[in-house]
Amino acid sequence: NAGVTQTPKFQVLKTGQSMTLQCAQDMNHNSMYWYRQDPGMGLRLIYYSASEGTTDKGEVPNGYNVSRLNKREFSLRLESAAPSQTSVYFCASSETFGDSNQPQHFGDGTRLSIL
Amino acid sequence: SQQGEEDPQALSIQEGENATMNCSYKTSINNLQWYRQNSGRGLVHLILIRSNEREKHSGRLRVTLDTSKKSSSLLITASRAADTASYFCATDAEDSSYKLIFGSGTRLLVRP
């Protein structure tokens, strides 16, 4: 039971470099999310995709782009990494959107350091 | 601003004791969820309580919700070392857009 799989698990970048964080879920969920987790801040929503073919901004979208490649995959791209983007990034999925009764299922995160 | 805030920020107890964590929120909600996060891992959904419910149980977990005080509590009974983790509450976004807003969490340490 893979659930939500994130790659890579760890990454170190230099300021200005770009990279894409990958996320895939095998639960046939319609909705997917990207969060960042910083010490003492809880999780903050970066972008979400309510369904295949749609994406929307969350609380902290600046500096990021996303692509919902298909129903299974949702990627997060940093075009020009900045030290303020050092964080742990979590991908999550839920069966549907628009129904907050749905629990979200999380991957184990990507730990990203930007020097 | 965060919708949910947990209290205390950190809690250390002996194995076998009960652990109580609290969550306060600011606006009306449809439901409140609790999640657990083990070190280095993602969040795992524990329990959901709807706004019209006052108490819910799941195994050793007991969640209460007081909508008049805009607060919830998570009680873990007969704690085990394996319960050591961070616990987060999550509520609906203030704009009712169905997005979840997570609190900053309570770090629980259960000493063997």
Side-chain angles (χ1 to χ4, degrees):
Chain A
N1 295 337
V4 179
T5 302
Q6 293 184 236
T7 55
K9 295 188 185 305
F10 302 93
Q11 185 70 48
V12 178
L13 292 179
K14 294 181 179 178
T15 297
Q17 288 185 317
S18 62
M19 82 161 294
T20 300
L21 281 62
Q22 306 288 352
C23 174
Q25 52 91 9
D26 63 1
M27 295 172 283
N28 202 35
H29 285 171
N30 289 298
S31 306
M32 298 184 73
Y33 313 83
W34 276 105
Y35 294 90
R36 60 178 289 172
Q37 184 177 35
D38 301 296
M41 296 288 290
L43 275 75
R44 291 183 291 170
L45 182 64
I46 304 171
Y47 271 93
Y48 66 98
S49 172
S51 60
E52 186 179 356
T54 70
T55 60
D56 284 286
K57 295 178 180 179
E59 184 184 356
V60 289
N62 292 344
Y64 305 95
N65 286 303
V66 290
S67 295
R68 183 75 184 266
L69 304 171
N70 48 54
K71 191 171 185 178
R72 290 186 64 248
E73 298 172 290
F74 188 38
S75 63
L76 178 72
R77 182 164 179 82
L78 286 71
E79 290 291 352
S80 179
S84 61
Q85 294 177 305
T86 293
S87 188
V88 183
Y89 291 86
F90 288 97
C91 177
S93 69
S94 65
E95 193 170 329
T96 58
F97 189 78
D99 177 1
S100 59
N101 287 329
Q102 295 290 331
Q104 293 187 12
H105 300 257
F106 286 79
D108 282 337
T110 293
R111 284 143 188 83
L112 182 61
S113 293
I114 300 167
L115 307 177
Chain B
S1 61
Q2 291 176 320
Q3 166 75 315
E5 294 291 342
E6 287 91 343
D7 172 66
Q9 290 187 335
L11 180 62
S12 179
I13 60 173
Q14 201 74 32
E15 199 166 30
E17 294 180 337
N18 295 341
T20 300
M21 288 157 272
N22 303 296
C23 171
S24 59
Y25 56 92
K26 299 176 181 177
T27 63
S28 297
I29 60 172
N30 294 311
N31 63 66
L32 185 146
Q33 303 182 33
W34 284 93
Y35 288 79
R36 183 188 76 233
Q37 183 181 31
N38 291 91
S39 180
R41 305 297 299 274
L43 278 71
V44 175
H45 181 260
L46 293 176
I47 196 166
L48 179 151
I49 186 165
R50 295 182 173 80
S51 60
N52 62 354
E53 297 176 313
R54 292 296 168 259
E55 188 171 313
K56 201 163 183 179
H57 296 254
S58 176
R60 293 184 296 112
L61 305 180
R62 173 178 169 252
V63 169
T64 60
L65 180 64
D66 187 335
T67 53
S68 66
K69 295 182 179 178
K70 292 186 170 60
S71 68
S72 174
S73 66
L74 170 67
L75 168 68
I76 304 174
T77 60
S79 64
R80 306 166 182 168
D83 294 327
T84 293
S86 291
Y87 293 81
F88 296 86
C89 67
T91 56
D92 311 76
E94 293 182 51
D95 60 1
S96 299
S97 59
Y98 302 110
K99 298 191 289 286
L100 288 181
I101 303 296
F102 289 84
S104 54
T106 292
R107 296 187 308 279
L108 173 65
L109 172 64
V110 181
R111 306 185 305 273

